[in-house]
Amino acid sequence: MARLLEVEDLQTYFFTDEGTVRAVDGVSWGIDEGETLALVGESGCGKSVTAMSILRLIPNPPGRIVGGSITFDGLDLLNVSDAEMRAIRGNRIAMIFQEPMTSLNPVLTIGQQIREAVQLHLGMNDEESTQKAIELLTMVGIPEAEQRIQDYPHQFSGGMRQRVMIAMALSCDPKLLIADEPTTALDVTIQAQILEIMANLSSELGTAVLVITHNLGVVARYADRVNVMYAGQIVESGSAVDIFKNPQHAYTRGLMASVPRLDDTEHTRLATIEGQPPLLVQEINGCAFRPRCTKVSGCNCSTTKENNPKLVEIEPGHWVADCPCCMTVN
Amino acid sequence: MTTQSATTQGQSEAKTGETLLSVRGMKMYFPVTSGLFVQRKVADVRAVDGISFDVKKGETLGLVGESGCGKSTTGRAILQLHRPTEGSVNFDGTELTELKGAGLRRFRRRMQMIFQDPFSSLNPRMSVAQIISEPLAIHGLYKGAERRDRLDYILNAVGLNPTYARRYPHEFSGGQRQRIGIGRALAVEPDFIVCDEPVSALDVSIQAQVVNLLEDLQSQFDLTYLFIAHDLSVVKHISDRIAVMYLGHIVELAEADELYLNPTHAYTRALLSAIPIPDPIVERERERIILEGDVPSPLNPPKGCVFRTRCTKKDQCKCSDTVPVLEEVEPGHWVANCPCCMTK
């Protein structure tokens, strides 16, 4: 498969009164055409900022992409003009947001909101775009789409609104779909409906999906590959099976062990990762996981910026940050 | 729901103790009014529509269901924060629905609550010491110097450094704030705590810390929990027994493992299958029951079996307009006896 998106050494910083927040601090990864990649991590680890950086939606000030490059389909996204970027957003790269309640415009009908995108990007007229809107709503499983395009967002339930968001995102047949916590605000049975629709449509249309989530169950079910983020950096990257069956970084292992599983038959105490993620206003020297590492007392990893852990390939396609303490020894 | 009797409800081997709380036929309706000057009642939101269950001393009863199914309302109605429209709530031999004023307040010392949102459930203008001491002042416990000792003891018990007592909520992370909320509930030495989604707002690694803390405190202080959450994997982990709610009704109640291994109501089966297991090999082989549509409005719930609009067998459904009652299919395993929704 050809590389669709290549992110290299991306650094997105926020310059605040408290200091510089290194929200994303040198991440490199790529996504192939038609692939589903998951970005996993806890709140504040930089997963959403990574996604917003791809679409160049970082509010400036205070935020700025200070380094690195993002190449999408041969195009250097950090150096195209604003007009070119607008032509890409919602067209070749589309996004689904977490909050289906707040990401739709309450004073426009659902039909108007879907038609806006297809009229703008595909140059359709009113009649064609209405037809397209009905087609899209039917595709995501909204009954009586002909009538429902005249309804306003408040007339839809949370799950239905998220379907509308998916319909809008897929309206221009994007190459890449970014889904930022697409089901976090939804109930589990609705979550299952939405994820199933997303998975089916993306495989039908051959869309690559970048899914951002903290739900490891969702990752296990849908992702081909996984990037685990911690404190603005990627600490482990590999196929879903590698990450779940053979996690190598101490953080990944901690994360896996702290989630109770439905199929656990005996009651064991949950493993925890003591402490909190670091504050990103301080520059992280050496391994970011160091303060929470269980081996910290006997830890002899370097604490200088020059020796920040780098991703090393320990088996084909499975990369781990090479902190000697955090990596499993075997 | 009269087929349920207190003596035959599910009992785990370790928790065969006496019943602490017994809820019978509890209904909680919220009136919908209309009219500018004269408020006329036009309808009822049937948040909880006749539920019965027991909670035994020292056990954790999990209450799961999707948003709007009435699980939080159930927790609040038990504590009499909402006055139930109908039914009885019996706490350790006392009928709570008949109590008011000082009498009720005395019982509130024994029944506390932990809230979901660690950000909005703590007063930003009160220090940790004030937050945890307030319930002690209200109930006149631990006066003078003893109160400071009690505060230190509580902070230690919930894993916070006692030197933090003079700090304010904004100085803490989400997990630490949830510990403050737990400390506040614990301060008055309650017997029973309603935990309303206590870990839903937290990150997974923090969630595990709080779940472990709740388990430790339970064995340390002999607490009884009603654990309300929508995340069935967390509920199954912490609970001895689980009640599944749908649209104001309990559709299934069983021991945690029994419910997972042998789900009998169609809704329970769909709910279990919808929760992904964090294991790509297991998960991709799992069969998934996708429910169609949304939960109906509690303003106008379906007649008879409330699940009928989403039931996979609804086309050949022969259930009548009578409301299903809980029936014991195995010892301690109760299921709403709708003929279409039950697997035989």
Side-chain angles (χ1 to χ4, degrees):
Chain A
M1 281 278 197
R3 260 294 132 106
L4 180 67
L5 179 84
E6 191 78 55
V7 176
E8 246 171 294
D9 198 27
L10 178 72
Q11 289 162 305
T12 307
Y13 291 0
F14 290 83
F15 300 91
T16 66
D17 292 345
E18 281 82 44
T20 306
V21 177
R22 294 163 172 82
V24 174
D25 202 8
V27 301
S28 303
W29 52 273
I31 183 166
D32 288 339
E33 279 175 19
E35 179 183 48
T36 300
L37 175 74
L39 268 186
V40 188
E42 297 179 90
S43 2
C45 72
K47 30 187 214 305
S48 293
V49 174
T50 305
M52 292 306 221
S53 302
I54 296 169
L55 286 169
R56 282 197 9 212
L57 289 174
I58 299 292
N60 180 13
R64 194 146 47 84
I65 298 170
V66 295
S69 71
I70 300 173
T71 317
F72 170 74
D73 221 1
L75 224 70
D76 181 359
L77 288 190
L78 297 186
N79 288 313
V80 297
S81 69
D82 287 351
E84 281 174 287
M85 199 61 220
R86 274 199 300 277
I88 292 169
R89 268 186 223 125
N91 185 8
R92 293 164 68 196
I93 305 178
M95 184 150 180
I96 299 171
F97 298 90
Q98 172 171 0
E99 267 294 328
M101 312 293 159
T102 53
S103 40
L104 289 168
N105 188 336
V107 298
L108 294 179
T109 64
I110 293 298
Q112 283 172 305
Q113 297 187 54
I114 300 177
R115 280 162 50 202
E116 185 184 355
V118 292
Q119 288 184 350
L120 185 71
H121 290 304
L122 307 180
M124 288 183 174
N125 61 28
D126 281 359
E127 202 173 308
E128 287 166 343
S129 61
T130 306
Q131 219 39 53
K132 178 81 178 171
I134 294 169
E135 214 174 278
L136 286 162
L137 288 181
T138 312
M139 182 176 81
V140 294
I142 291 182
E144 291 154 24
E146 296 84 2
Q147 275 91 57
R148 302 292 326 241
I149 54 164
Q150 288 159 28
D151 285 350
Y152 289 89
H154 74 268
Q155 292 165 292
F156 287 75
S157 67
M160 284 293 177
R161 276 181 241 198
Q162 202 58 306
R163 284 169 197 251
V164 172
M165 289 297 292
I166 295 175
M168 280 167 80
L170 295 176
S171 60
C172 300
D173 208 353
K175 301 276 271 184
L176 175 64
L177 175 66
I178 300 175
D180 189 358
E181 303 268 9
T183 58
T184 307
L186 304 174
D187 275 317
V188 278
T189 61
I190 308 297
Q191 167 177 305
Q193 291 175 354
I194 296 296
L195 288 170
E196 218 66 19
I197 292 173
M198 266 178 57
N200 291 343
L201 290 179
S202 64
S203 71
E204 253 169 57
L205 306 171
T207 316
V209 182
L210 173 68
V211 57
I212 296 170
T213 180
H214 64 268
N215 186 332
L216 293 175
V218 169
V219 176
R221 181 157 183 103
Y222 297 101
D224 302 316
R225 281 194 308 123
V226 183
N227 285 339
V228 183
M229 282 191 79
Y230 185 75
Q233 289 159 7
I234 291 176
V235 295
E236 189 159 358
S237 163
S239 73
V241 176
D242 284 345
I243 296 286
F244 281 90
K245 287 294 167 191
N246 188 19
Q248 293 295 307
H249 195 278
Y251 178 65
T252 318
R253 276 181 283 128
L255 209 56
M256 299 287 164
S258 62
V259 186
R261 284 177 57 154
L262 203 54
D263 59 347
D264 278 339
T265 44
E266 52 201 288
H267 187 94
T268 45
R269 210 178 148 77
L270 292 178
T272 57
I273 309 173
E274 291 308 319
Q276 314 280 338
L279 289 173
L280 299 174
V281 280
Q282 284 131 22
E283 187 156 13
I284 291 160
N285 292 318
C287 174
F289 193 63
R290 187 185 174 86
R292 301 176 84 185
C293 184
T294 46
K295 293 186 201 148
V296 72
S297 50
C299 195
N300 43 19
C301 61
S302 155
T303 51
T304 55
K305 178 86 179 165
E306 296 71 53
N307 290 321
N308 271 358
K310 308 265 178 322
L311 288 179
V312 291
E313 191 166 23
I314 52 159
E315 56 185 313
H318 187 174
W319 298 73
V320 187
D322 66 345
C323 169
C325 317
C326 294
M327 279 171 81
T328 328
V329 198
N330 59 10
Chain B
M1 284 184 212
T2 47
T3 55
Q4 212 173 24
S5 77
T7 47
T8 46
Q9 272 204 12
Q11 300 171 345
S12 64
E13 291 124 77
K15 273 115 189 170
T16 46
E18 46 194 308
T19 302
L20 179 68
L21 175 80
S22 156
V23 175
R24 288 291 172 274
M26 187 172 77
K27 291 186 181 175
M28 185 68 236
Y29 291 180
F30 296 98
V32 179
T33 55
S34 160
L36 195 55
F37 300 109
V38 183
Q39 297 276 301
R40 280 175 301 110
K41 194 177 96 170
V42 289
D44 276 316
V45 174
R46 301 180 177 196
V48 176
D49 203 4
I51 62 169
S52 305
F53 60 90
D54 285 344
V55 186
K56 307 226 175 308
K57 268 195 181 128
E59 83 165 344
T60 301
L61 177 71
L63 200 54
V64 286
E66 297 179 273
S67 16
C69 73
K71 51 190 195 305
S72 292
T73 306
T74 301
R76 285 162 185 265
I78 288 171
L79 300 185
Q80 306 299 307
L81 295 171
H82 299 310
R83 289 304 194 136
T85 314
E86 212 176 281
S88 96
V89 179
N90 192 300
F91 182 83
D92 211 7
T94 307
E95 181 57 45
L96 295 181
T97 49
E98 289 162 9
L99 289 179
K100 52 187 173 188
L104 181 58
R105 203 171 306 129
R106 261 200 308 283
F107 270 89
R108 289 245 173 87
R109 187 196 64 72
R110 300 180 58 193
M111 313 177 296
Q112 288 289 312
M113 187 154 182
I114 299 168
F115 298 91
Q116 168 170 13
D117 186 347
F119 293 86
S120 62
S121 60
L122 300 176
N123 187 335
R125 291 163 191 248
M126 286 168 84
S127 68
V128 172
Q130 287 171 317
I131 289 170
I132 294 178
S133 310
E134 192 181 28
L136 296 175
I138 289 170
H139 294 288
L141 302 166
Y142 296 97
K143 295 184 176 130
E146 278 181 13
R147 194 166 290 170
R148 269 198 303 281
D149 293 344
R150 178 72 184 162
L151 181 66
D152 286 359
Y153 179 76
I154 290 293
L155 287 174
N156 275 321
V158 298
L160 289 172
N161 190 330
T163 58
Y164 291 171
R166 299 178 67 176
R167 295 195 185 175
Y168 287 84
H170 75 267
E171 298 174 74
F172 294 93
S173 67
Q176 287 174 316
R177 282 185 224 207
Q178 202 55 300
R179 287 172 194 266
I180 300 170
I182 294 171
R184 175 176 59 187
L186 215 55
V188 293
E189 298 170 357
D191 301 315
F192 175 65
I193 300 183
V194 173
C195 310
D196 190 1
E197 304 260 16
V199 297
S200 310
L202 307 173
D203 268 321
V204 279
S205 73
I206 310 299
Q207 180 174 311
Q209 293 173 4
V210 174
V211 167
N212 286 347
L213 174 67
L214 287 172
E215 290 185 332
D216 292 344
L217 294 173
Q218 178 167 42
S219 56
Q220 196 181 340
F221 298 106
D222 290 325
L223 297 169
T224 306
Y225 290 148
L226 179 69
F227 193 93
I228 300 167
H230 66 272
D231 183 343
L232 198 44
S233 15
V234 174
V235 173
K236 176 168 172 285
H237 177 83
I238 201 168
S239 306
D240 300 301
R241 293 187 303 141
I242 298 176
V244 180
M245 279 189 80
Y246 184 79
L247 209 61
H249 294 261
I250 290 180
V251 296
E252 191 157 2
L253 194 161
E255 278 179 37
D257 287 330
E258 167 73 8
L259 188 86
Y260 170 68
L261 295 171
N262 204 3
T264 305
H265 195 278
Y267 179 64
T268 313
R269 275 182 285 126
L271 199 60
L272 284 168
S273 88
I275 294 163
I277 291 174
D279 181 332
I281 294 166
V282 174
E283 182 54 32
R284 279 165 208 194
E285 295 301 311
R286 274 177 87 213
E287 201 198 337
R288 187 162 264 217
I289 307 163
I290 303 277
L291 287 182
E292 283 173 24
D294 289 306
V295 184
S297 161
L299 263 174
N300 183 20
K303 289 211 169 51
C305 173
V306 285
F307 190 63
R308 78 195 307 176
T309 54
R310 297 176 84 191
C311 185
T312 43
K313 294 185 209 151
K314 65 169 179 264
D315 299 331
Q316 65 261 43
C317 189
K318 291 186 195 70
C319 58
S320 63
D321 282 353
T322 48
V323 179
V325 292
L326 288 184
E327 183 182 311
E328 192 168 27
V329 288
E330 295 277 333
H333 188 160
W334 299 77
V335 186
N337 64 352
C338 168
C340 319
C341 297
M342 280 169 86
T343 0
K344 283 277 160 66

